[in-house]
Amino acid sequence: MSGCLDYIELPRCEGLDTVAEKRNLIASVAAGILFFAGWWIIIDAAATVPSNDDFKHAYHTCGVLSTVAFFMINAISSAQVSGDSTETGCIGQTGARIWLFSGFFLAFGALIASCWILFGPYVVQQCCDDNLWPGIAVFLQNTFIFFGGIVFKFGRTEELYEEL
C-alpha cells in the first residue's frame, strides 16, 4: 500500500523555470513588502491613536528591536556561518554564529514582547475602552518584520554571487 503513488507523474509546469531563476528577486521583494507593511501598520496605529494614554510611545521599542534584528540576521552570509567562506571577516566563524544567534534572539524577544503588549495592556486589562487596534498593530508589525527577515535570509540563494 505504501507504493501506490510511486508511478504517478504530475505534468511539469513550464513557467516555474523562470521563477527559479528569479528566486532572489522574488524573495527580496516579498521581504521588502513584509517589512514595509509592518512599519505602515504601526504608523497607522500611531496616527489614529495619538494619545499616550491609549498607545504608549514606548511600545515602538519592539519594532525598533525587530528592525535591528532584521539587519543583524541578514548581515551574515550562510557561508560565514557554516565556515565555507574564503574570507573569514573580522570576527570569524564563531563570531558570525554569535552575531546570528544574537539577531535571532532579538527578533524572537521583540516578537514575544509584542505578544505581551497585545495581551497584557490591551486584551486582559482593556486599558483603551475596547480599542485593541494599537496592540494588534504592534503585534502585526513585529510579526511582519520577523517573517520579512526570515524570507530575506532563507529565501535567497548565495550561489549566484560566488560565480561573479
Side-chain angles (χ1 to χ4, degrees):
M1 188 67 167
S2 65
C4 64
L5 299 176
D6 287 344
Y7 298 107
I8 295 176
E9 291 186 22
L10 296 174
R12 183 166 173 85
C13 296
E14 298 298 327
L16 291 181
D17 294 335
T18 59
V19 172
E21 293 173 0
K22 296 183 179 183
R23 178 180 173 179
N24 288 353
L25 175 71
I26 293 169
S28 299
V29 169
I33 288 171
L34 287 170
F35 186 82
F36 169 77
W39 277 104
W40 186 265
I41 287 170
I42 202 67
I43 289 170
D44 176 65
T48 57
V49 186
S51 171
N52 194 27
D53 296 332
D54 294 337
F55 182 53
K56 298 194 182 334
H57 299 301
Y59 294 160
H60 291 291
T61 307
C62 292
V64 172
L65 288 178
S66 287
T67 302
V68 170
F70 179 92
F71 289 116
M72 285 179 72
I73 290 169
N74 291 296
I76 301 294
S77 70
S78 298
Q80 288 174 324
V81 173
S82 64
D84 296 337
S85 178
T86 56
E87 298 176 9
T88 59
C90 61
I91 57 177
Q93 180 184 4
T94 305
R97 289 178 177 176
I98 291 171
W99 184 265
L100 186 66
F101 177 77
S102 300
F104 276 116
F105 183 76
L106 274 178
F108 281 116
L111 192 60
I112 291 168
S114 69
C115 287
W116 175 81
I117 289 171
L118 171 61
F119 288 106
Y122 290 99
V123 174
V124 175
Q125 296 176 0
Q126 296 179 351
C127 70
C128 304
D129 301 326
D130 297 328
N131 187 9
L132 294 176
W133 173 238
I136 293 170
V138 170
F139 177 72
L140 286 177
Q141 176 202 22
N142 287 284
T143 303
F144 285 165
I145 292 174
F146 176 76
F147 284 118
I150 296 297
V151 166
F152 196 72
K153 177 68 177 173
F154 299 111
R156 297 177 303 129
T157 180
E158 297 173 356
E159 296 169 356
L160 297 175
Y161 302 115
E162 293 174 0
E163 295 174 0
L164 297 177

